[in-house]
Amino acid sequence: MATFRDLLSAAKAQITEVDTAVAAEHIAKGALVLDVREPDEHDEGALPGAVHIPRGHLEAQVEGKLLDKHAPVVVYCAGGVRSAFAARTLAELGYTDVFSMAGGFGRWKDEGRPWKAPVTLSAEQRNRYKRHLLLPEVGVEGQAKLLGSKVLMLGAGGLGSPAALYLAAAGVGTIGIVDMDDVDASNLQRQILHNTERIGDRKVDSAKKTLTLLNPDVNVVTYDTRLDASNIIEIITGYDVIVDGADNFPSRYLLNDASVKLGIPVVHGSIFRFEGMVSVFHPLDGPTYRDMVPEPPPAELAPSCAEAGVLGVLPGIVGSIQALEVIKLLLNLGEGLIGRILSIDTTDMSFRTFKLRADPANQVTYANRDRIIVQELEGLCAPGLH
């Protein structure tokens, strides 16, 4: 009958074991790092960027978190025993380039190599966000980043409602809302933050009630005011991303110029009858609103929703996509809509994307940020520069 030492020797004979120095070299070259210790051990400290899967859950979870079976993987535990067994299991699952780190985290830490205390969530948060935590692209660190993020909603109406709801549900830690209107019965066909009991209430107050009931983790900051040149810089400063749910051109140009000056990305959405569009205007990485619309069209060619109507479910589609683009920006996930316009036509359910390029005539750019004057725009919009 085999002993534990026999099993360990057999495992080590079937794997590649390296010391901490060689492990560090592999990590520096881009190897993935897998921590197979128990949660309480991991919470006391871990290698930077390590994927954590307790040894007892390895077989069930690893293929969902380490997707490339040919990528190099450095596995470690506390002292090098569990990592040896884990490395053999990975080989049996088809991983082709696995290294077990001898001495484990204890030796790594004693040698003064880099480590950090991992981000932790409360038991309640782990339960609330468990579907996020199962995604390798999010995980605990990504969720903690969302909880530490700040997003400003321009408007608590048709677009702001679904966007704010999904961002709050996702755990964005601070959501600011700018709106100066009351809840009206005619809003309820599309503005799902509000309800019949709140008709006549201020929209920012109604929105705060809904979002905090949905997720008490979220701090909702309200701005019951008209956004104008005198307050926009103060209001938007400190936010990571802005969601543009404005329904008029002056507000959009005002937001553009202020956000470009401060270098804050804006997730833009607009709706009209049965059609909508979404784009991401990033002052540092791509074109902005003035590149798409250098000058506003005449008023008669740009009727509001109140004048032209809008299908009630349409802002739900567009606002949800805006929320998705915000989360992608915050977590640096996938390919966003920077430099692209997503056009939606619900009459034939078509989604099309168009490239958006910087306008060489546009002088309202981040490179010119010190010259940008944020000012009220009446009629045709002149560039806000010295």
Side-chain angles (χ1 to χ4, degrees):
M1 182 177 295
T3 66
F4 169 75
R5 290 186 178 276
D6 294 333
L7 294 175
L8 179 58
S9 296
K12 289 192 174 185
Q14 298 172 25
I15 65 168
T16 302
E17 188 174 44
V18 297
D19 61 21
T20 51
V22 175
E25 292 175 2
H26 285 299
I27 294 169
K29 293 177 182 177
L32 303 173
V33 184
L34 176 62
D35 183 340
V36 295
R37 297 173 300 159
E38 293 303 303
D40 59 330
E41 297 174 286
H42 178 261
D43 290 347
E44 293 177 0
L47 273 65
V51 175
H52 178 230
I53 307 175
R55 175 65 191 89
H57 299 285
L58 184 64
E59 291 85 350
Q61 296 183 9
V62 68
E63 291 177 303
K65 294 188 176 182
L66 301 184
L67 305 181
D68 184 355
K69 291 191 174 183
H70 300 294
V73 181
V74 173
V75 189
Y76 75 92
C77 60
V81 174
R82 284 168 289 176
S83 64
F85 289 112
R88 184 174 67 175
T89 297
L90 289 175
E92 292 170 346
L93 289 171
Y95 291 85
T96 61
D97 199 9
V98 181
F99 308 93
S100 173
M101 188 171 78
F105 181 69
R107 184 177 300 172
W108 179 279
K109 185 178 178 181
D110 290 343
E111 292 173 351
R113 300 184 186 278
W115 65 279
K116 65 176 183 178
V119 175
T120 59
L121 302 176
S122 68
E124 291 81 4
Q125 289 172 329
R126 284 183 174 275
N127 184 53
R128 176 182 290 274
Y129 307 117
K130 65 167 57 177
R131 298 302 188 274
H132 273 179
L133 304 186
L134 292 172
L135 296 171
E137 298 84 355
V138 182
V140 173
E141 289 198 4
Q143 187 60 55
K145 190 170 184 179
L146 290 177
L147 287 164
S149 297
K150 299 179 66 176
V151 176
L152 180 68
M153 317 296 303
L154 181 53
L159 295 176
S161 288
L165 282 167
Y166 272 111
L167 291 173
V172 171
T174 299
I175 296 178
I177 302 176
V178 184
D179 204 304
M180 59 170 295
D181 288 339
D182 295 330
V183 177
D184 186 90
S186 65
N187 302 147
L188 303 182
Q189 164 249 17
R190 63 201 176 281
Q191 297 181 16
I192 56 176
L193 275 172
H194 317 296
N195 58 50
T196 54
E197 293 182 354
R198 299 182 192 160
I199 292 173
D201 291 357
R202 302 300 283 174
K203 282 187 179 178
V204 290
D205 296 334
S206 173
K208 183 169 185 173
K209 290 177 183 177
T210 300
L211 298 179
T212 52
L213 284 171
L214 176 63
N215 189 349
D217 282 344
V218 179
N219 175 34
V220 180
V221 181
T222 59
Y223 304 90
D224 189 354
T225 185
R226 174 182 178 272
L227 199 66
D228 59 31
S230 70
N231 61 22
I232 187 169
I233 292 294
E234 180 182 358
I235 288 175
I236 72 174
T237 295
Y239 283 94
D240 300 304
V241 184
I242 301 169
V243 177
D244 178 11
D247 62 357
N248 63 85
F249 283 100
S251 293
R252 291 171 183 165
Y253 284 97
L254 186 70
L255 174 61
N256 176 83
D257 295 356
S259 64
V260 170
K261 187 176 182 69
L262 296 181
I264 304 173
V266 173
V267 178
H268 170 80
S270 59
I271 51 177
F272 177 73
R273 292 174 57 82
F274 301 93
E275 301 175 0
M277 62 157 287
V278 184
S279 189
V280 176
F281 303 130
H282 201 311
L284 278 63
D285 295 332
T288 62
Y289 186 75
R290 282 188 182 271
D291 294 304
M292 184 177 73
V293 189
E295 292 185 348
E300 63 271 16
L301 298 181
S304 69
C305 292
E307 298 168 314
V310 62
L311 186 68
V313 73
L314 177 64
I317 299 170
V318 174
S320 296
I321 295 173
Q322 286 181 279
L324 176 59
E325 288 297 309
V326 169
I327 292 172
K328 287 163 64 180
L329 279 171
L330 294 175
L331 298 182
N332 193 27
L333 291 177
E335 182 181 356
L337 289 173
I338 298 172
R340 296 191 297 156
I341 300 169
L342 174 65
S343 174
I344 303 164
D345 186 342
T346 59
T347 59
D348 60 5
M349 214 54 191
S350 61
F351 289 71
R352 300 181 178 89
T353 56
F354 305 91
K355 289 185 178 180
L356 175 62
R357 303 188 186 280
D359 180 359
N362 177 21
Q363 296 298 303
V364 184
T365 64
Y366 188 69
N368 291 334
R369 59 190 178 278
D370 293 337
R371 298 173 52 213
I372 295 175
I373 300 174
V374 179
Q375 58 187 0
E376 298 293 332
L377 306 173
E378 300 294 341
L380 292 180
C381 299
L385 298 172
H386 282 302

